[in-house]
Amino acid sequence: MPIIEVEHLMKDFMIAKRETGFLGAVKSLVKREHIKKEAVKDISFSIKEGEMVGYIGPNGAGKSTTIKMLTGILVPSSGSVKVNGIIPYENRQENAKNIGVVFGQRTQLWWDLPTIESFELLKEIYQVSDKRFKENMDTFTEILGLDEFLNTPVRQLSLGQRMRADIAASLLHDPQILFLDEPTIGLDVVAKEKMRTFIKEINNERKITVILTTHDMEDIEKLCERMILIDHGQKVYDGEIAVVKERFGKTRTLIVDLEESPHNLQLKGGEAFKEEASRFWIRFNRDEVSASELIAQITQTHNIKDLTVEEPAIESIISRIYQEGYQDLPEIVKV
Amino acid sequence: MFRFRLYWTFTKKAFLRSAVYRFDVWSRLGSNLIFLLMWGSIWTALYAGREEAGGVSFESMLTYIVVSQFLSGVNGAGTPLWEIQEKVRTGDISLELMRPFDVPLRYLFADFGSVAFYILTALLPLYTVMFIFMDLTLPSAWETWILFIVSAFIGFLIRYCIEMAFGLLSFFLVETGGIVDVFYFAMSLLSGSVIPLWFFPGWLEKMALYLPFQGIYYIPNAIFIGKISGTEILLSLGVQLFWAAASYLLLRFVWNHASQKIVVQGG
Ligand SMILES: Nc1ncnc2c1ncn2[C@@H]1O[C@H](COP(=O)(O)OP(=O)(O)OP(=O)(O)O)[C@@H](O)[C@H]1O
Ligand SMILES: [Mg+2]
């Protein structure tokens, strides 16, 4: 039984059209014209208990809109959503007890209150027992280092501290499902790493189901086995990250520094797609030609000073997919 | 099931939060005093040395103004309307929609906390001193004190519901400035906060008596200075309760529509 089921989910927003000029202003007083914006169109997926899924896509793809519908604060235009057997928007408060949510862009803590008091409020709101509250606080404090700012009002926290406080807050009531909308946005490298370790740990140890949106592919690479890729409100890929990597990972880049700078470099099986002074970037498919064959070709005419072969990170794979389209994606799951 | 403990936590937290913003308390108390002085002098000038006007002694009139300023301090100490409108504008309110509590009730209980803090630390000391050193009429019967407190509390609820309901209009109208101004004007005039209803021209007094605003200032004040007594008081409390229920329904109605709108249109 999947814990999250989404079928043919759609969300349209009506956006009031802005008329320009005086006449336009008068006209819009009488009647406002609206444009329909399809933020999510026909998305389906299901997620099993304990899974950790990366929900990714370019800006404006419809990720946050989907998450909002899963939390119940947005009503779908059509289609169905079920989270732990509950229809979120019909039963928002019941749903709230099962889920934890972090919106990286905004805090859910009370601005004016010292962080610890926000936690105490949440304890009452979700009726967490004293014992459980203490256990959770101890665990979170240890991993996230909350003690350094527990008595600071939320509005004085740094972004990284605030994010740590927010994720701890979202887990105080032991939800089964955690929605993370850009939980690492704006964090420095070390803070990101800590956040990832924490997410991984609660997924492993508490078997919490996690849906994670992010623009940092390293998050996905380190945390998720499965990713759902969406664009323009539609699902373009749903499956293992390893499969995408395998498919696109065949491309390698050979970077060579030459002693002289030739005008161009013609190679069989490789394509020089970038050059800077005497450095060349050569793209090749590992199945068609090997790096040593390419190097041999180059040394026939030039002297190589230095070289490296790069494997594509998921980061560059995804950015290529965003730019070049989705035709080549393996087995797009159509539900 | 009403989860009193949960809402009470909001009261406690708001009480503590007020303690952090002590400067706020002083500046609010300052402007409260200035208005008190202003209205006090205006009414002193209007009485022009007469012992009584409209069947009300000068002493009672002065008491009316003092009590009125006290109530206005109480009613102004809650969450400012703009704060809620700001949450609506930024979409932050949708995060509160997700919580297992009722949003209007949660703000009401938080207001109890900040108001209690303001009363205890500022209003009560100041007004006690004032009652000791000025020639003002104090109710002699303890029942009157209780009826006054009950009436003032119901008035507070009426004001909260109506103000919140109007504040939420920003959900539906792009430009609420004008409406809100009219509302505040109506509230300050028709509630009898600065001019007691008995000085109104007949038609205006009638109108005011048919509206909910009198329940906020006029009725508790009339009880305090002894303008009404006996069954009249009970009748007035009945009227207040009716308006409290009606304005609660109004708030519920507006809130349901507003929250429905947020979840459809997105914060
Ligand atoms: N309340 C709203 N009213 C109108 N349009 C909206 C609203 N919320 C989102 N949209 C539009 O819907 C589309 C999807 O937005 P959404 O926030 O879901 O994108 P996203 O995938 O989260 O993007 P990002 O990576 O930038 O956060 C965008 O074009 C956005 O402009
Ligand atoms: Mg987003």
Short mmCIF file of all heavy atoms in Angstrom, two decimals, chain A residues 196-229:
data_model
loop_
_atom_site.label_atom_id
_atom_site.label_comp_id
_atom_site.label_asym_id
_atom_site.label_seq_id
_atom_site.Cartn_x
_atom_site.Cartn_y
_atom_site.Cartn_z
N ARG A 196 21.92 17.25 5.25
CA ARG A 196 21.76 15.97 4.55
C ARG A 196 21.91 14.80 5.49
O ARG A 196 21.13 13.85 5.46
CB ARG A 196 22.78 15.86 3.43
CG ARG A 196 22.48 16.76 2.27
CD ARG A 196 23.57 16.64 1.22
NE ARG A 196 23.50 17.75 0.29
CZ ARG A 196 24.53 18.46 -0.12
NH1 ARG A 196 25.76 18.18 0.32
NH2 ARG A 196 24.36 19.44 -0.97
N THR A 197 22.94 14.86 6.34
CA THR A 197 23.16 13.77 7.30
C THR A 197 21.93 13.58 8.17
O THR A 197 21.49 12.46 8.42
CB THR A 197 24.36 14.10 8.21
OG1 THR A 197 25.42 14.57 7.39
CG2 THR A 197 24.81 12.89 8.99
N PHE A 198 21.37 14.70 8.59
CA PHE A 198 20.20 14.63 9.46
C PHE A 198 19.01 13.99 8.73
O PHE A 198 18.35 13.10 9.25
CB PHE A 198 19.83 16.04 9.94
CG PHE A 198 18.65 16.07 10.85
CD1 PHE A 198 18.74 15.51 12.12
CD2 PHE A 198 17.45 16.62 10.45
CE1 PHE A 198 17.65 15.52 12.98
CE2 PHE A 198 16.35 16.64 11.29
CZ PHE A 198 16.45 16.09 12.55
N ILE A 199 18.76 14.45 7.51
CA ILE A 199 17.64 13.92 6.74
C ILE A 199 17.81 12.42 6.51
O ILE A 199 16.89 11.62 6.69
CB ILE A 199 17.49 14.65 5.39
CG1 ILE A 199 17.16 16.13 5.62
CG2 ILE A 199 16.41 14.00 4.54
CD1 ILE A 199 17.22 16.99 4.38
N LYS A 200 19.03 12.04 6.17
CA LYS A 200 19.32 10.64 5.92
C LYS A 200 19.05 9.82 7.18
O LYS A 200 18.44 8.75 7.14
CB LYS A 200 20.79 10.50 5.51
CG LYS A 200 21.14 9.11 5.07
CD LYS A 200 22.15 9.13 3.93
CE LYS A 200 22.03 7.87 3.13
NZ LYS A 200 21.98 8.10 1.72
N GLU A 201 19.49 10.35 8.29
CA GLU A 201 19.36 9.62 9.54
C GLU A 201 17.90 9.41 9.94
O GLU A 201 17.51 8.31 10.33
CB GLU A 201 20.09 10.38 10.64
CG GLU A 201 20.48 9.48 11.78
CD GLU A 201 21.62 10.07 12.57
OE1 GLU A 201 22.62 10.48 11.94
OE2 GLU A 201 21.49 10.15 13.80
N ILE A 202 17.10 10.47 9.83
CA ILE A 202 15.70 10.28 10.24
C ILE A 202 14.96 9.36 9.27
O ILE A 202 14.05 8.65 9.65
CB ILE A 202 14.94 11.61 10.42
CG1 ILE A 202 15.07 12.46 9.18
CG2 ILE A 202 15.41 12.38 11.62
CD1 ILE A 202 13.76 12.97 8.76
N ASN A 203 15.38 9.38 8.02
CA ASN A 203 14.77 8.46 7.06
C ASN A 203 15.16 7.02 7.37
O ASN A 203 14.33 6.11 7.34
CB ASN A 203 15.17 8.84 5.64
CG ASN A 203 14.70 7.83 4.60
OD1 ASN A 203 15.49 7.08 4.06
ND2 ASN A 203 13.41 7.83 4.33
N ASN A 204 16.40 6.81 7.71
CA ASN A 204 16.88 5.48 8.03
C ASN A 204 16.31 4.95 9.33
O ASN A 204 15.81 3.84 9.39
CB ASN A 204 18.41 5.48 8.18
CG ASN A 204 19.09 5.36 6.85
OD1 ASN A 204 18.47 4.92 5.88
ND2 ASN A 204 20.35 5.75 6.78
N GLU A 205 16.43 5.79 10.36
CA GLU A 205 16.13 5.27 11.69
C GLU A 205 14.67 5.33 12.05
O GLU A 205 14.16 4.50 12.77
CB GLU A 205 16.96 6.03 12.73
CG GLU A 205 18.34 5.43 12.80
CD GLU A 205 19.32 6.28 13.56
OE1 GLU A 205 18.86 7.05 14.43
OE2 GLU A 205 20.53 6.16 13.29
N ARG A 206 13.98 6.36 11.53
CA ARG A 206 12.57 6.47 11.90
C ARG A 206 11.65 6.01 10.79
O ARG A 206 10.43 6.09 10.93
CB ARG A 206 12.25 7.92 12.27
CG ARG A 206 13.14 8.44 13.37
CD ARG A 206 12.70 9.78 13.86
NE ARG A 206 13.45 10.13 15.06
CZ ARG A 206 13.04 11.01 15.97
NH1 ARG A 206 11.90 11.63 15.80
NH2 ARG A 206 13.76 11.26 17.02
N LYS A 207 12.23 5.62 9.68
CA LYS A 207 11.45 5.14 8.54
C LYS A 207 10.43 6.18 8.07
O LYS A 207 9.33 5.86 7.65
CB LYS A 207 10.72 3.83 8.87
CG LYS A 207 11.67 2.69 9.28
CD LYS A 207 12.39 2.13 8.07
CE LYS A 207 13.54 1.22 8.48
NZ LYS A 207 14.86 1.89 8.54
N ILE A 208 10.81 7.44 8.19
CA ILE A 208 9.92 8.50 7.74
C ILE A 208 10.01 8.62 6.22
O ILE A 208 11.10 8.59 5.66
CB ILE A 208 10.29 9.84 8.40
CG1 ILE A 208 10.08 9.74 9.91
CG2 ILE A 208 9.49 10.99 7.83
CD1 ILE A 208 10.45 10.99 10.67
N THR A 209 8.87 8.69 5.58
CA THR A 209 8.83 8.88 4.13
C THR A 209 9.16 10.34 3.83
O THR A 209 8.60 11.23 4.47
CB THR A 209 7.42 8.55 3.61
OG1 THR A 209 7.02 7.31 4.16
CG2 THR A 209 7.40 8.49 2.10
N VAL A 210 10.06 10.56 2.88
CA VAL A 210 10.47 11.94 2.61
C VAL A 210 10.29 12.30 1.14
O VAL A 210 10.67 11.54 0.25
CB VAL A 210 11.96 12.15 2.98
CG1 VAL A 210 12.37 13.60 2.75
CG2 VAL A 210 12.25 11.75 4.42
N ILE A 211 9.67 13.44 0.89
CA ILE A 211 9.68 14.02 -0.46
C ILE A 211 10.47 15.31 -0.36
O ILE A 211 10.22 16.13 0.52
CB ILE A 211 8.27 14.33 -0.98
CG1 ILE A 211 7.48 13.04 -1.12
CG2 ILE A 211 8.35 15.03 -2.33
CD1 ILE A 211 6.19 13.23 -1.89
N LEU A 212 11.40 15.45 -1.27
CA LEU A 212 12.35 16.54 -1.15
C LEU A 212 12.44 17.28 -2.48
O LEU A 212 12.67 16.68 -3.51
CB LEU A 212 13.69 15.88 -0.82
CG LEU A 212 14.98 16.64 -0.91
CD1 LEU A 212 15.24 17.29 0.42
CD2 LEU A 212 16.12 15.71 -1.24
N THR A 213 12.24 18.59 -2.45
CA THR A 213 12.52 19.35 -3.66
C THR A 213 13.79 20.16 -3.42
O THR A 213 14.07 20.56 -2.31
CB THR A 213 11.39 20.34 -4.06
OG1 THR A 213 11.61 21.57 -3.37
CG2 THR A 213 10.03 19.80 -3.72
N THR A 214 14.55 20.33 -4.48
CA THR A 214 15.80 21.07 -4.32
C THR A 214 16.33 21.44 -5.70
O THR A 214 15.92 20.88 -6.71
CB THR A 214 16.86 20.22 -3.59
OG1 THR A 214 18.05 20.97 -3.43
CG2 THR A 214 17.17 18.94 -4.36
N HIS A 215 17.21 22.44 -5.71
CA HIS A 215 17.91 22.74 -6.96
C HIS A 215 19.36 22.27 -6.86
O HIS A 215 20.14 22.45 -7.79
CB HIS A 215 17.85 24.22 -7.27
CG HIS A 215 16.48 24.65 -7.68
ND1 HIS A 215 15.91 24.26 -8.86
CD2 HIS A 215 15.54 25.41 -7.05
CE1 HIS A 215 14.69 24.77 -8.95
NE2 HIS A 215 14.45 25.46 -7.86
N ASP A 216 19.70 21.70 -5.71
CA ASP A 216 21.06 21.23 -5.53
C ASP A 216 21.10 19.73 -5.78
O ASP A 216 20.62 18.94 -4.98
CB ASP A 216 21.50 21.54 -4.09
CG ASP A 216 22.97 21.21 -3.87
OD1 ASP A 216 23.48 20.33 -4.60
OD2 ASP A 216 23.59 21.82 -2.99
N MET A 217 21.67 19.34 -6.92
CA MET A 217 21.63 17.93 -7.30
C MET A 217 22.45 17.05 -6.36
O MET A 217 22.27 15.85 -6.32
CB MET A 217 22.11 17.76 -8.73
CG MET A 217 21.13 18.32 -9.73
SD MET A 217 19.47 17.69 -9.43
CE MET A 217 18.51 19.11 -9.85
N GLU A 218 23.34 17.69 -5.63
CA GLU A 218 24.10 16.92 -4.66
C GLU A 218 23.17 16.38 -3.57
O GLU A 218 23.37 15.26 -3.08
CB GLU A 218 25.18 17.80 -4.05
CG GLU A 218 26.50 17.08 -3.91
CD GLU A 218 27.55 17.99 -3.31
OE1 GLU A 218 27.69 19.14 -3.80
OE2 GLU A 218 28.21 17.56 -2.36
N ASP A 219 22.17 17.15 -3.21
CA ASP A 219 21.17 16.67 -2.25
C ASP A 219 20.57 15.36 -2.76
O ASP A 219 20.46 14.38 -2.03
CB ASP A 219 20.01 17.68 -2.09
CG ASP A 219 20.43 18.95 -1.39
OD1 ASP A 219 21.52 18.96 -0.80
OD2 ASP A 219 19.66 19.93 -1.46
N ILE A 220 20.16 15.42 -4.03
CA ILE A 220 19.51 14.26 -4.63
C ILE A 220 20.47 13.08 -4.69
O ILE A 220 20.13 11.96 -4.32
CB ILE A 220 19.05 14.62 -6.07
CG1 ILE A 220 18.08 15.79 -6.03
CG2 ILE A 220 18.44 13.42 -6.77
CD1 ILE A 220 16.76 15.48 -5.42
N GLU A 221 21.66 13.37 -5.14
CA GLU A 221 22.65 12.31 -5.31
C GLU A 221 22.97 11.62 -3.98
O GLU A 221 23.10 10.42 -3.90
CB GLU A 221 23.91 12.93 -5.90
CG GLU A 221 24.90 11.89 -6.38
CD GLU A 221 25.72 12.43 -7.55
OE1 GLU A 221 25.86 13.66 -7.64
OE2 GLU A 221 26.19 11.62 -8.34
N LYS A 222 23.05 12.44 -2.93
CA LYS A 222 23.44 11.86 -1.64
C LYS A 222 22.27 11.23 -0.90
O LYS A 222 22.48 10.40 -0.02
CB LYS A 222 24.07 12.94 -0.76
CG LYS A 222 25.35 13.48 -1.37
CD LYS A 222 26.39 13.77 -0.31
CE LYS A 222 27.76 13.93 -0.94
NZ LYS A 222 28.37 15.23 -0.68
N LEU A 223 21.05 11.68 -1.20
CA LEU A 223 19.93 11.25 -0.36
C LEU A 223 18.95 10.28 -1.02
O LEU A 223 18.40 9.41 -0.37
CB LEU A 223 19.14 12.47 0.12
CG LEU A 223 19.86 13.40 1.09
CD1 LEU A 223 19.01 14.63 1.36
CD2 LEU A 223 20.15 12.68 2.39
N CYS A 224 18.73 10.45 -2.32
CA CYS A 224 17.60 9.73 -2.91
C CYS A 224 18.05 8.65 -3.89
O CYS A 224 19.06 8.80 -4.56
CB CYS A 224 16.70 10.70 -3.67
SG CYS A 224 16.28 12.16 -2.73
N GLU A 225 17.24 7.61 -3.96
CA GLU A 225 17.46 6.62 -5.01
C GLU A 225 16.53 6.89 -6.16
O GLU A 225 16.81 6.56 -7.30
CB GLU A 225 17.21 5.22 -4.45
CG GLU A 225 18.39 4.75 -3.64
CD GLU A 225 18.12 3.43 -2.95
OE1 GLU A 225 17.12 2.78 -3.28
OE2 GLU A 225 18.92 3.08 -2.07
N ARG A 226 15.42 7.49 -5.83
CA ARG A 226 14.41 7.71 -6.86
C ARG A 226 14.20 9.20 -7.06
O ARG A 226 14.26 9.97 -6.11
CB ARG A 226 13.10 7.06 -6.42
CG ARG A 226 11.92 7.37 -7.30
CD ARG A 226 10.71 6.67 -6.76
NE ARG A 226 9.52 7.13 -7.44
CZ ARG A 226 8.29 6.94 -6.98
NH1 ARG A 226 8.10 6.28 -5.85
NH2 ARG A 226 7.25 7.38 -7.64
N MET A 227 14.01 9.57 -8.32
CA MET A 227 13.65 10.96 -8.52
C MET A 227 12.46 11.09 -9.46
O MET A 227 12.24 10.25 -10.33
CB MET A 227 14.83 11.76 -9.07
CG MET A 227 15.17 11.50 -10.50
SD MET A 227 16.47 12.67 -11.02
CE MET A 227 16.49 12.36 -12.78
N ILE A 228 11.67 12.12 -9.19
CA ILE A 228 10.58 12.44 -10.09
C ILE A 228 10.95 13.79 -10.68
O ILE A 228 11.19 14.75 -9.96
CB ILE A 228 9.25 12.53 -9.33
CG1 ILE A 228 8.90 11.17 -8.74
CG2 ILE A 228 8.14 13.03 -10.26
CD1 ILE A 228 7.66 11.17 -7.86
N LEU A 229 11.04 13.81 -12.00
CA LEU A 229 11.47 15.03 -12.67
C LEU A 229 10.26 15.64 -13.34
O LEU A 229 9.56 14.96 -14.09
CB LEU A 229 12.56 14.67 -13.69
CG LEU A 229 13.17 15.77 -14.53
CD1 LEU A 229 13.86 16.80 -13.65
CD2 LEU A 229 14.18 15.18 -15.51
#
